């Protein structure tokens, strides 16, 4: 494994930590999710290119397609939250609070 | 230092993702993702994957991040927070920066890291060769196999994209 793989794994872990700790905006969580997808794409591409696994070169493209689907649905949900409450602050999502 | 250009690009990738994950205002998070995407594309280029690197630029940056930028412009605040304007954001960014600098110093002192696998620095610029690959790029041939061996993958992803559009139209219907 190359030294670059260490950095890409650290990038994935950092984005995961950022996704799990909310601040004010819901949009920031979606951006951290996109960061995770990007680091997964880079990691998969580097591993597949290093091991010369030719047929698996299509896997990062499929990953990107499903990440695009997921990002679009996340953005649609954010737009509806923003239409209801005016902003996309996470503290507005409190319907289940007792 | 040019020998470590790929490692430097991956370090800038980590720092830009730390900048996204320390959560300034979302428009600056998008800026961090753009820089990270460019650096990731450079890393993929140096491993010989030219098609997949250009896909990052075209599909990821040019498609997905543009949509994120428009949505952020729709739901943004009057005074967006940059990394240095808020102590919490700057503290998170500084912590990630210190972590990455520690890792870089450990790697550059040793030369190889033995965490779970053995990460050695030779594979940055010496790639294992499995023999004759002919005149074709292996990566391009593997992606072209998406239409022959991966025909069912194309059907499934196309159908799920269509269902995604229908789901989005249903979510944003309102009333």
């Amino acid at each position: 494994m190359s030294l670059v793989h260490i950095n890409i794994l650290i990038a994935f872990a950092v984005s995961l930590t950022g996704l799990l700790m909310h601040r004010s905006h819901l949009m920031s969580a979606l951006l951290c999710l996109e960061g995770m997808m990007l680091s997964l794409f880079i990691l998969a591409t580097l591993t597949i290119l290093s091991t010369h696994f030719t047929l698996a070169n299509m896997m990062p493209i499929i990953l990107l397609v499903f990440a695009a689907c997921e990002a679009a649905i996340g953005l649609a949900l954010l737009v509806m939250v923003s239409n209801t409450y005016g902003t996309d602050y996470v503290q507005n999502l409190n319907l289940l609070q007792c | 230092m040019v020998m470590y250009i790929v490692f430097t690009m991956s370090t800038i990738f980590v720092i830009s993702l730390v900048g996204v994950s320390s959560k300034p205002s979302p428009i600056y998070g998008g800026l961090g993702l753009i820089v990270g995407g460019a650096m990731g594309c450079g890393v993929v280029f140096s491993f010989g994957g030219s098609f997949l690197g250009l896909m990052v630029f075209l599909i990821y940056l040019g498609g997905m991040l543009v949509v994120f930028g428009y949505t952020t412009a729709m739901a943004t605040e009057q005074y967006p927070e940059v990394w240095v304007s808020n102590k919490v954001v700057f503290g998170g960014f500084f912590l990630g920066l210190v972590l990455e600098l520690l890792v870089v110093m450990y790697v550059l002192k040793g030369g190889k890291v033995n965490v779970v696998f053995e990460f050695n620095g030779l594979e940055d610029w010496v790639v294992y060769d499995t023999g004759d690959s002919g005149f074709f790029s292996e990566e391009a041939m593997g992606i072209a196999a998406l239409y022959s061996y991966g025909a069912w993958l194309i059907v499934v992803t196309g159908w799920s994209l269509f269902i995604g559009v229908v789901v989005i139209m249903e979510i944003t219907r309102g009333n």
Side-chain angles (χ1 to χ4, degrees):
Chain A
M1 283 245 197
S2 163
L3 284 178
V4 179
H5 290 252
I6 304 177
N7 270 333
I8 311 295
L9 285 168
I10 290 176
F12 179 78
V14 161
S15 287
L16 179 65
T17 314
L19 175 66
L20 295 175
M21 304 202 297
H22 292 160
R23 267 192 70 230
S24 43
H25 283 276
L26 190 64
M27 185 68 169
S28 305
L30 291 181
L31 285 174
C32 284
L33 203 59
E34 287 308 302
M36 281 169 67
M37 285 297 151
L38 180 66
S39 65
L40 272 180
F41 179 92
I42 305 290
L43 189 65
T45 308
L46 292 186
T47 310
I48 290 168
L49 285 173
S50 301
T51 53
H52 292 279
F53 189 179
T54 308
L55 261 187
N57 273 312
M58 58 175 91
M59 177 264 195
I61 297 179
I62 306 296
L63 178 69
L64 213 57
V65 168
F66 285 115
C69 279
E70 165 196 356
I73 292 181
L75 280 177
L77 288 171
L78 183 132
V79 160
M80 289 315 285
V81 166
S82 180
N83 275 353
T84 314
Y85 292 103
T87 56
D88 62 337
Y89 289 150
V90 175
Q91 66 205 30
N92 287 332
L93 308 173
N94 56 359
L95 287 177
L96 287 178
Q97 195 176 16
C98 57
Chain B
M1 200 61 211
V2 181
M3 202 167 78
Y4 287 106
I5 186 84
V6 184
F7 189 67
T8 310
M9 277 197 290
S10 68
T11 308
I12 301 177
F13 179 72
V14 174
I15 293 175
S16 69
L17 280 190
V18 166
V20 172
S21 147
S22 60
K23 286 192 264 299
S25 204
I27 194 66
Y28 294 109
L31 183 69
L33 267 184
I34 291 176
V35 174
M39 289 299 122
C41 172
V43 169
V44 169
F45 275 160
S46 67
F47 273 68
S50 33
F51 185 84
L52 285 170
L54 284 177
M55 260 201 63
V56 169
F57 259 115
L58 208 63
I59 310 293
Y60 192 82
L61 293 186
M64 289 162 63
L65 271 192
V66 164
V67 174
F68 269 95
Y70 280 130
T71 312
T72 307
M74 212 177 68
T76 189
E77 55 212 358
Q78 199 185 8
Y79 294 108
E81 284 177 336
V82 78
W83 288 282
V84 295
S85 76
N86 187 352
K87 285 200 189 63
V88 177
V89 176
F90 185 66
F93 184 65
F94 186 67
L95 182 67
L97 209 64
V98 162
L99 163 77
E100 181 58 22
L101 253 61
L102 284 177
V103 167
V104 166
M105 280 186 349
Y106 183 74
V107 161
L108 288 183
K109 209 157 63 91
K112 63 179 180 167
V113 176
N114 261 319
V115 176
V116 175
F117 302 95
E118 184 194 332
F119 300 96
N120 55 1
L122 287 177
E123 296 192 33
D124 269 345
W125 47 288
V126 170
V127 186
Y128 289 130
D129 195 12
T130 56
D132 186 25
S133 64
F135 294 108
F136 304 114
S137 154
E138 286 178 356
E139 173 216 12
M141 292 302 114
I143 294 172
L146 195 54
Y147 293 103
S148 60
Y149 292 106
W152 181 241
L153 266 178
I154 296 275
V155 170
V156 168
T157 50
W159 184 248
S160 65
L161 278 172
F162 173 69
I163 295 293
V165 167
V166 169
V167 165
I168 288 174
M169 289 202 304
E170 189 62 36
I171 290 175
T172 53
R173 194 158 59 132
N175 62 1

